[in-house]
């Protein structure tokens, strides 16, 4: 089943790259995360909705593309804050963070595979999986950003 999700996501990613209608950058999301006057979680729909409101994205294909492109942007930030933490933590905590991250990746993959499988053969399975990957990746990014921001490492 993981192979099914991987293959379907690979095809969908290739199609999403051909339909790049996402009006948001990693820098904009990062500025939102750093804004202490709002909850970081509000950054997720704020920027996703900008993509979903583009007329070309008013189809299932367009929605999946928005979710995937948003997830890619959040993943860039996730990797940035993971690397910053790894660079600045003592070696014992580096290993602990690495172990935690590997466990989270497994959790994310299994969770999103389950959500994909729930939809059977319907086209909504692609939307459900893409939404799941965005939700899990953005939540983990916010978590790592919070650890970094509150650690005094910067």
């Amino acid at each position: 089943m993981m192979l099914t999700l991987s293959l379907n996501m690979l095809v969908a990613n290739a199609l999403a790259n051909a339909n790049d209608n996402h009006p948001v950058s990693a820098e904009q999301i990062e500025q939102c995360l750093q804004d202490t006057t709002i909850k970081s979680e509000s950054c997720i729909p704020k920027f996703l909705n900008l993509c979903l409101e583009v007329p070309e994205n008013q189809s299932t294909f367009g929605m999946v593309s928005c979710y995937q492109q948003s997830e890619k942007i959040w993943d860039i930030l996730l990797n940035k804050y993971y690397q910053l933490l790894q660079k600045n933590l003592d070696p014992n905590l580096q290993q602990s963070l690495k172990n935690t991250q590997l466990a989270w990746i497994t959790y994310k993959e299994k969770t999103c595979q389950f959500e994909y499988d729930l939809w059977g053969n319907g086209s909504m399975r692609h939307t459900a999986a893409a939404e799941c990957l965005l939700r899990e990746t953005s939540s983990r990014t916010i978590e790592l950003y919070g650890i970094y921001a509150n650690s005094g490492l910067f």
Side-chain angles (χ1 to χ4, degrees):
M1 286 187 211
M2 183 58 83
L3 181 59
T4 302
L5 177 59
S6 298
L7 290 174
N8 284 314
M9 294 305 287
L10 182 63
V11 170
N13 275 329
L15 294 172
N17 288 335
N19 185 27
D20 191 4
N21 289 317
H22 202 298
V24 177
S25 69
E27 292 78 22
Q28 289 170 296
I29 293 175
E30 190 167 36
Q31 286 173 357
C32 185
L33 288 175
Q34 295 169 353
D35 184 346
T36 58
T37 65
I38 61 170
K39 287 187 164 242
S40 296
E41 291 78 10
S42 70
C43 300
I44 303 166
K46 177 179 179 179
F47 294 111
L48 173 64
N49 290 340
L50 289 175
C51 183
L52 293 171
E53 291 168 359
V54 173
E56 294 83 12
N57 295 333
Q58 298 299 306
S59 64
T60 301
F61 176 80
M63 290 170 53
V64 169
S65 177
C66 285
Y67 282 113
Q68 289 176 333
Q69 291 174 47
S70 293
E71 191 265 338
K72 286 179 192 176
I73 294 168
W74 282 96
D75 192 56
I76 289 167
L77 294 172
L78 181 148
N79 287 310
K80 174 182 178 175
Y81 290 107
Y82 175 82
Q83 292 300 322
L84 285 169
L85 285 167
Q86 282 290 56
K87 181 177 156 184
N88 291 292
L89 293 173
D90 67 61
N92 290 337
L93 288 174
Q94 288 174 351
Q95 187 59 49
S96 181
L97 177 62
K98 180 179 179 180
N99 293 341
T100 302
Q101 192 66 12
L102 292 172
W104 171 79
I105 290 168
T106 299
Y107 166 80
K108 174 186 75 165
E109 290 172 352
K110 289 183 181 298
T111 297
C112 296
Q113 180 67 52
F114 173 74
E115 291 190 25
Y116 178 86
D117 292 343
L118 273 174
W119 288 92
N121 292 326
S123 63
M124 285 302 295
R125 66 187 175 171
H126 300 291
T127 306
E131 188 276 331
C132 178
L133 291 168
L134 170 60
R135 181 185 68 242
E136 297 302 327
T137 301
S138 58
S139 294
R140 182 65 176 160
T141 303
I142 290 168
E143 184 178 5
L144 291 177
Y145 172 76
I147 293 167
Y148 181 72
N150 294 316
S151 67
L153 295 174
F154 74 104

